[in-house]
Amino acid sequence: MSKKSQNINGFAQDIIGRFTLSNRTHNSQCKYHIDRMIQGIRYNTDMKHKKIAELEEMSGDMIHRHQQHGELLDQDKLLQNEQDIAWQKDQIAINEDLKAYLQEAFTQLFPEVDKQAEQMDNIIAKYSTTTSKKLKAV
């Protein structure tokens, strides 16, 4: 007899070992808080993308004013912006890894939620194509 190897990530294993997920309260609270962590990472990543866009726009404006109007180029600020952009991108990479890890744990712990989400995506896609076909016909 061979043991069946389970590829469950460490976080999911810790949750399973610490909480009784068959208990509705444990299940709903774990589901809620893990989902909140994932949503928090998404929000944080979105804010970092906005910050990168702001820094790139600021640098572009500085260069444009220098080239078009002969304004003195603040090289230190330009270099600082580039360093800040690189730092934000490094943080985004970490966010994406952590989000993927937590999402994997969430899917392993609560497969029914993943199945429901997939069903909803299919339903939405079905009606989206139907609606868009009707709109094109009008």
Side-chain angles (χ1 to χ4, degrees):
M1 227 185 214
S2 66
K3 284 188 173 181
K4 189 175 181 180
S5 174
Q6 292 185 353
N7 293 329
I8 297 178
N9 81 15
F11 183 70
Q13 288 175 346
D14 289 344
I15 295 295
I16 290 169
R18 187 171 292 250
F19 300 100
T20 308
L21 293 180
S22 59
N23 178 300
R24 268 181 79 186
T25 304
H26 287 213
N27 187 297
S28 70
Q29 285 300 292
C30 288
K31 193 182 304 178
Y32 173 78
H33 288 295
I34 294 170
D35 187 54
R36 288 286 306 235
M37 285 190 286
I38 293 167
Q39 296 304 321
I41 292 169
R42 283 187 183 134
Y43 176 79
N44 184 267
T45 300
D46 290 344
M47 293 298 105
K48 290 183 183 318
H49 281 294
K50 285 181 182 178
K51 182 65 176 176
I52 288 171
E54 289 172 7
L55 291 168
E56 288 174 341
E57 184 177 347
M58 183 188 308
S59 294
D61 287 345
M62 288 170 50
I63 291 170
H64 175 75
R65 286 192 314 264
H66 171 71
Q67 291 174 338
Q68 297 298 318
H69 306 293
E71 287 186 21
L72 187 61
L73 187 62
D74 187 350
Q75 293 177 1
D76 290 335
K77 183 63 177 166
L78 199 56
L79 289 172
Q80 183 63 50
N81 285 353
E82 287 303 305
Q83 290 171 351
D84 289 348
I85 289 169
W87 185 61
Q88 296 287 338
K89 287 181 178 180
D90 287 345
Q91 290 181 350
I92 289 171
I94 292 167
N95 281 1
E96 293 300 327
D97 287 345
L98 183 57
K99 183 180 73 172
Y101 180 73
L102 290 172
Q103 187 65 53
E104 177 185 43
F106 188 85
T107 301
Q108 291 172 352
L109 291 167
F110 312 107
E112 71 282 357
V113 173
D114 197 42
K115 288 176 188 171
Q116 288 173 348
E118 186 177 325
Q119 288 174 340
M120 287 305 288
D121 288 344
N122 291 338
I123 291 169
I124 290 169
K126 175 183 163 185
Y127 287 104
S128 294
T129 56
T130 305
T131 305
S132 65
K133 287 178 185 177
K134 287 180 182 178
L135 291 175
K136 287 181 183 177
V138 173

mmCIF file of all heavy atoms in Angstrom, residues 58-81:
data_model
loop_
_atom_site.group_PDB
_atom_site.id
_atom_site.type_symbol
_atom_site.label_atom_id
_atom_site.label_comp_id
_atom_site.label_asym_id
_atom_site.label_seq_id
_atom_site.Cartn_x
_atom_site.Cartn_y
_atom_site.Cartn_z
ATOM 1 N N MET A 58 5.381 62.075 -13.431
ATOM 2 C CA MET A 58 6.176 63.172 -12.893
ATOM 3 C C MET A 58 7.524 63.249 -13.603
ATOM 4 O O MET A 58 7.959 64.336 -14.016
ATOM 5 C CB MET A 58 6.393 62.969 -11.383
ATOM 6 C CG MET A 58 7.154 64.098 -10.713
ATOM 7 S SD MET A 58 7.605 63.747 -8.987
ATOM 8 C CE MET A 58 6.063 63.256 -8.278
ATOM 9 N N SER A 59 8.172 62.108 -13.788
ATOM 10 C CA SER A 59 9.466 62.090 -14.473
ATOM 11 C C SER A 59 9.311 62.518 -15.927
ATOM 12 O O SER A 59 10.133 63.287 -16.444
ATOM 13 C CB SER A 59 10.081 60.686 -14.399
ATOM 14 O OG SER A 59 10.409 60.369 -13.068
ATOM 15 N N GLY A 60 8.257 62.029 -16.573
ATOM 16 C CA GLY A 60 8.016 62.414 -17.964
ATOM 17 C C GLY A 60 7.768 63.898 -18.109
ATOM 18 O O GLY A 60 8.272 64.532 -19.049
ATOM 19 N N ASP A 61 7.007 64.478 -17.171
ATOM 20 C CA ASP A 61 6.751 65.921 -17.197
ATOM 21 C C ASP A 61 8.042 66.712 -17.007
ATOM 22 O O ASP A 61 8.259 67.732 -17.672
ATOM 23 C CB ASP A 61 5.744 66.317 -16.118
ATOM 24 C CG ASP A 61 4.324 65.899 -16.445
ATOM 25 O OD1 ASP A 61 4.052 65.555 -17.613
ATOM 26 O OD2 ASP A 61 3.484 65.907 -15.511
ATOM 27 N N MET A 62 8.895 66.252 -16.091
ATOM 28 C CA MET A 62 10.160 66.942 -15.848
ATOM 29 C C MET A 62 11.014 66.939 -17.112
ATOM 30 O O MET A 62 11.573 67.975 -17.499
ATOM 31 C CB MET A 62 10.925 66.261 -14.702
ATOM 32 C CG MET A 62 10.323 66.496 -13.336
ATOM 33 S SD MET A 62 11.057 65.468 -12.025
ATOM 34 C CE MET A 62 12.786 65.722 -12.234
ATOM 35 N N ILE A 63 11.088 65.796 -17.771
ATOM 36 C CA ILE A 63 11.897 65.682 -18.989
ATOM 37 C C ILE A 63 11.281 66.516 -20.111
ATOM 38 O O ILE A 63 11.996 67.217 -20.840
ATOM 39 C CB ILE A 63 12.048 64.203 -19.400
ATOM 40 C CG1 ILE A 63 12.930 63.484 -18.365
ATOM 41 C CG2 ILE A 63 12.638 64.072 -20.797
ATOM 42 C CD1 ILE A 63 12.970 61.985 -18.508
ATOM 43 N N HIS A 64 9.967 66.480 -20.231
ATOM 44 C CA HIS A 64 9.273 67.258 -21.264
ATOM 45 C C HIS A 64 9.533 68.757 -21.068
ATOM 46 O O HIS A 64 9.853 69.477 -22.038
ATOM 47 C CB HIS A 64 7.768 66.960 -21.221
ATOM 48 C CG HIS A 64 6.979 67.799 -22.167
ATOM 49 N ND1 HIS A 64 6.970 67.583 -23.533
ATOM 50 C CD2 HIS A 64 6.175 68.880 -21.948
ATOM 51 C CE1 HIS A 64 6.206 68.483 -24.105
ATOM 52 N NE2 HIS A 64 5.702 69.278 -23.173
ATOM 53 N N ARG A 65 9.382 69.246 -19.832
ATOM 54 C CA ARG A 65 9.620 70.671 -19.562
ATOM 55 C C ARG A 65 11.077 71.047 -19.833
ATOM 56 O O ARG A 65 11.362 72.140 -20.316
ATOM 57 C CB ARG A 65 9.231 71.011 -18.128
ATOM 58 C CG ARG A 65 7.722 71.055 -17.896
ATOM 59 C CD ARG A 65 7.351 71.674 -16.563
ATOM 60 N NE ARG A 65 8.124 71.191 -15.439
ATOM 61 C CZ ARG A 65 7.737 70.195 -14.609
ATOM 62 N NH1 ARG A 65 6.584 69.585 -14.796
ATOM 63 N NH2 ARG A 65 8.505 69.829 -13.612
ATOM 64 N N HIS A 66 11.987 70.124 -19.545
ATOM 65 C CA HIS A 66 13.402 70.370 -19.802
ATOM 66 C C HIS A 66 13.657 70.479 -21.310
ATOM 67 O O HIS A 66 14.343 71.402 -21.763
ATOM 68 C CB HIS A 66 14.249 69.249 -19.190
ATOM 69 C CG HIS A 66 15.691 69.305 -19.571
ATOM 70 N ND1 HIS A 66 16.558 70.268 -19.098
ATOM 71 C CD2 HIS A 66 16.434 68.523 -20.402
ATOM 72 C CE1 HIS A 66 17.756 70.068 -19.595
ATOM 73 N NE2 HIS A 66 17.703 69.016 -20.402
ATOM 74 N N GLN A 67 13.089 69.537 -22.063
ATOM 75 C CA GLN A 67 13.327 69.509 -23.507
ATOM 76 C C GLN A 67 12.592 70.628 -24.233
ATOM 77 O O GLN A 67 13.138 71.230 -25.160
ATOM 78 C CB GLN A 67 12.906 68.160 -24.091
ATOM 79 C CG GLN A 67 13.800 67.016 -23.665
ATOM 80 C CD GLN A 67 13.279 65.664 -24.131
ATOM 81 O OE1 GLN A 67 12.101 65.508 -24.413
ATOM 82 N NE2 GLN A 67 14.175 64.686 -24.182
ATOM 83 N N GLN A 68 11.381 70.917 -23.826
ATOM 84 C CA GLN A 68 10.564 71.889 -24.550
ATOM 85 C C GLN A 68 10.780 73.329 -24.094
ATOM 86 O O GLN A 68 10.695 74.244 -24.902
ATOM 87 C CB GLN A 68 9.075 71.540 -24.408
ATOM 88 C CG GLN A 68 8.697 70.210 -25.018
ATOM 89 C CD GLN A 68 8.941 70.166 -26.518
ATOM 90 O OE1 GLN A 68 8.651 71.131 -27.226
ATOM 91 N NE2 GLN A 68 9.487 69.056 -27.006
ATOM 92 N N HIS A 69 11.023 73.517 -22.811
ATOM 93 C CA HIS A 69 11.087 74.871 -22.268
ATOM 94 C C HIS A 69 12.445 75.214 -21.657
ATOM 95 O O HIS A 69 12.610 76.304 -21.116
ATOM 96 C CB HIS A 69 9.994 75.063 -21.207
ATOM 97 C CG HIS A 69 8.632 74.721 -21.702
ATOM 98 N ND1 HIS A 69 7.977 75.455 -22.676
ATOM 99 C CD2 HIS A 69 7.795 73.698 -21.371
ATOM 100 C CE1 HIS A 69 6.802 74.902 -22.922
ATOM 101 N NE2 HIS A 69 6.661 73.840 -22.144
ATOM 102 N N GLY A 70 13.364 74.277 -21.717
ATOM 103 C CA GLY A 70 14.697 74.537 -21.217
ATOM 104 C C GLY A 70 14.794 74.639 -19.700
ATOM 105 O O GLY A 70 15.773 75.182 -19.175
ATOM 106 N N GLU A 71 13.792 74.134 -18.994
ATOM 107 C CA GLU A 71 13.854 74.170 -17.525
ATOM 108 C C GLU A 71 15.000 73.288 -17.046
ATOM 109 O O GLU A 71 15.340 72.279 -17.666
ATOM 110 C CB GLU A 71 12.534 73.669 -16.917
ATOM 111 C CG GLU A 71 11.395 74.641 -17.054
ATOM 112 C CD GLU A 71 10.150 74.172 -16.312
ATOM 113 O OE1 GLU A 71 10.276 73.331 -15.402
ATOM 114 O OE2 GLU A 71 9.065 74.658 -16.664
ATOM 115 N N LEU A 72 15.560 73.682 -15.943
ATOM 116 C CA LEU A 72 16.649 72.930 -15.348
ATOM 117 C C LEU A 72 16.122 71.555 -14.911
ATOM 118 O O LEU A 72 15.084 71.456 -14.263
ATOM 119 C CB LEU A 72 17.217 73.686 -14.142
ATOM 120 C CG LEU A 72 18.477 73.114 -13.501
ATOM 121 C CD1 LEU A 72 19.624 73.086 -14.516
ATOM 122 C CD2 LEU A 72 18.871 73.945 -12.306
ATOM 123 N N LEU A 73 16.846 70.504 -15.289
ATOM 124 C CA LEU A 73 16.434 69.137 -14.975
ATOM 125 C C LEU A 73 16.937 68.764 -13.586
ATOM 126 O O LEU A 73 18.137 68.835 -13.317
ATOM 127 C CB LEU A 73 16.976 68.169 -16.026
ATOM 128 C CG LEU A 73 16.528 66.728 -15.955
ATOM 129 C CD1 LEU A 73 15.009 66.643 -16.133
ATOM 130 C CD2 LEU A 73 17.204 65.901 -17.038
ATOM 131 N N ASP A 74 16.028 68.397 -12.712
ATOM 132 C CA ASP A 74 16.386 67.955 -11.363
ATOM 133 C C ASP A 74 16.775 66.478 -11.440
ATOM 134 O O ASP A 74 15.943 65.576 -11.322
ATOM 135 C CB ASP A 74 15.201 68.164 -10.409
ATOM 136 C CG ASP A 74 15.553 67.877 -8.962
ATOM 137 O OD1 ASP A 74 16.659 67.341 -8.695
ATOM 138 O OD2 ASP A 74 14.715 68.184 -8.096
ATOM 139 N N GLN A 75 18.071 66.267 -11.664
ATOM 140 C CA GLN A 75 18.563 64.905 -11.862
ATOM 141 C C GLN A 75 18.396 64.045 -10.610
ATOM 142 O O GLN A 75 18.107 62.852 -10.713
ATOM 143 C CB GLN A 75 20.021 64.938 -12.311
ATOM 144 C CG GLN A 75 20.187 65.550 -13.687
ATOM 145 C CD GLN A 75 21.641 65.655 -14.096
ATOM 146 O OE1 GLN A 75 22.543 65.254 -13.366
ATOM 147 N NE2 GLN A 75 21.872 66.201 -15.288
ATOM 148 N N ASP A 76 18.585 64.645 -9.449
ATOM 149 C CA ASP A 76 18.420 63.883 -8.207
ATOM 150 C C ASP A 76 16.985 63.378 -8.058
ATOM 151 O O ASP A 76 16.757 62.234 -7.678
ATOM 152 C CB ASP A 76 18.789 64.733 -6.992
ATOM 153 C CG ASP A 76 20.280 65.018 -6.902
ATOM 154 O OD1 ASP A 76 21.072 64.218 -7.457
ATOM 155 O OD2 ASP A 76 20.647 66.040 -6.289
ATOM 156 N N LYS A 77 16.023 64.247 -8.374
ATOM 157 C CA LYS A 77 14.616 63.857 -8.275
ATOM 158 C C LYS A 77 14.293 62.778 -9.300
ATOM 159 O O LYS A 77 13.560 61.827 -9.013
ATOM 160 C CB LYS A 77 13.707 65.084 -8.476
ATOM 161 C CG LYS A 77 12.238 64.786 -8.330
ATOM 162 C CD LYS A 77 11.909 64.302 -6.924
ATOM 163 C CE LYS A 77 10.422 64.072 -6.770
ATOM 164 N NZ LYS A 77 10.092 63.318 -5.574
ATOM 165 N N LEU A 78 14.840 62.913 -10.494
ATOM 166 C CA LEU A 78 14.618 61.928 -11.542
ATOM 167 C C LEU A 78 15.177 60.564 -11.136
ATOM 168 O O LEU A 78 14.504 59.535 -11.296
ATOM 169 C CB LEU A 78 15.265 62.410 -12.839
ATOM 170 C CG LEU A 78 14.806 61.805 -14.145
ATOM 171 C CD1 LEU A 78 13.306 61.973 -14.332
ATOM 172 C CD2 LEU A 78 15.556 62.422 -15.302
ATOM 173 N N LEU A 79 16.382 60.548 -10.581
ATOM 174 C CA LEU A 79 16.979 59.296 -10.108
ATOM 175 C C LEU A 79 16.180 58.715 -8.936
ATOM 176 O O LEU A 79 15.973 57.501 -8.854
ATOM 177 C CB LEU A 79 18.441 59.514 -9.698
ATOM 178 C CG LEU A 79 19.417 59.763 -10.840
ATOM 179 C CD1 LEU A 79 20.791 60.157 -10.295
ATOM 180 C CD2 LEU A 79 19.527 58.518 -11.710
ATOM 181 N N GLN A 80 15.740 59.594 -8.045
ATOM 182 C CA GLN A 80 14.935 59.137 -6.910
ATOM 183 C C GLN A 80 13.631 58.500 -7.386
ATOM 184 O O GLN A 80 13.216 57.470 -6.869
ATOM 185 C CB GLN A 80 14.635 60.290 -5.951
ATOM 186 C CG GLN A 80 13.855 59.883 -4.718
ATOM 187 C CD GLN A 80 14.619 58.896 -3.851
ATOM 188 O OE1 GLN A 80 15.772 59.125 -3.531
ATOM 189 N NE2 GLN A 80 13.971 57.804 -3.488
ATOM 190 N N ASN A 81 12.998 59.114 -8.389
ATOM 191 C CA ASN A 81 11.769 58.544 -8.945
ATOM 192 C C ASN A 81 12.024 57.149 -9.516
ATOM 193 O O ASN A 81 11.227 56.233 -9.317
ATOM 194 C CB ASN A 81 11.176 59.451 -10.026
ATOM 195 C CG ASN A 81 10.507 60.676 -9.460
ATOM 196 O OD1 ASN A 81 10.359 60.824 -8.245
ATOM 197 N ND2 ASN A 81 10.113 61.582 -10.340
#
